[in-house]
Amino acid sequence: MALLVTIRYLSPMTYYLDKKIPVHIITLLGNPIAEHYLDQIEPTWHLFGYENTRLFNGITPETIEERCPIKLNFIYKRKQDRKPKYFTPTEKACWYSHYYLWRKIRREGVPAIVAEHDCKLLQQLPATLEQYDIRSFALHNTKSCLMAASAYYITPKGADQLIENLGRVIQNVDGYILNQPKQTGFKKNIDKTTYAQVIYDKKIGATINHDK
C-alpha cells in the first residue's frame, strides 16, 4: 500500500529582536514638552514587549558645562549666502546627549536601542538588526525619510565607531549617524517597512530649535 505523505507549506518564521534589550530613551526630565511626548511613546515600546526602557536625562544648553567634561569641536553645518550656519544651543545639547549615551553603551558592553522621546514604535523589531553595529529605523512624522538619530540599534563596537570617527562636528547628529557605513543604502528602502515614527504636535512644539 502506498504511503500517503502530506506536505504542508509553512510561511517563513519571523524572528524578532531580543525583547530584553535595553531601550535608552533620551528625554528631558521635568521638561513639559519632553514629558508630553514621552507619555505617548514609551507605552508603545512596552506594547510590543520591549519593557526594558531606561530614561536617559538629556543634556541641555544649561548643563553642558557641568555634565560634559569632554567638549565637542563644533564648526558650522553649511554656508548659506556665504555666511556660516552655526549650531543652535539646543542642537549642540542634542549632540552631547547622544555622544555621552554612546560612551555609556561602550562602557557597559551591551547592544542597545537608542530612541528619542518623540519616537513611537509601530511594530516589533526584526532580529536582522543584529547583523549591524549601527542601524537606524525611524521615519519622519510626515515624510518618508529616515530620522537616523530618532531610533537606532547600536552595539558597543558601533558606539566606539561613532566616538572614534568623530572629528570636527559639521552636521547635526542625525546626519552624522546616517552617513555611517551600511546606513546609506538602507535609508532608501525603510519606507517599505516602517518600524518607528517621530510624532509632532505644532501646538506643543519641540525641545530642539533649528536656525532657519
Side-chain angles (χ1 to χ4, degrees), residues 98 105 137-138 140 147 170 174 180 201:
H98 283 272
I105 292 169
F137 54 84
H140 191 277
M147 300 295 287
I170 57 174
D174 267 296
Q180 297 303 304
D201 186 336

Side-chain angles (χ1 to χ4, degrees), residues 2 42 59 64 82-83 89 91 93 116 118 156 167 203:
E42 188 174 15
I59 292 159
I64 288 175
R82 298 183 180 181
K83 294 181 180 179
E91 286 174 337
E116 295 181 335
D118 58 355
K203 296 180 180 179

Side-chain angles (χ1 to χ4, degrees), residues 72-80 82-88 91-92 95 167-172 211:
L72 301 180
N73 185 18
F74 291 96
I75 309 299
Y76 52 79
K77 291 181 285 184
R78 59 182 178 271
K79 291 185 178 181
Q80 291 184 340
R82 298 183 180 181
K83 294 181 180 179
K85 186 173 182 181
Y86 295 101
F87 291 88
T88 67
E91 286 174 337
K92 290 181 179 179
W95 244 111
R168 299 187 307 167
V169 181
I170 57 174
Q171 56 190 330
N172 284 335
D211 183 9

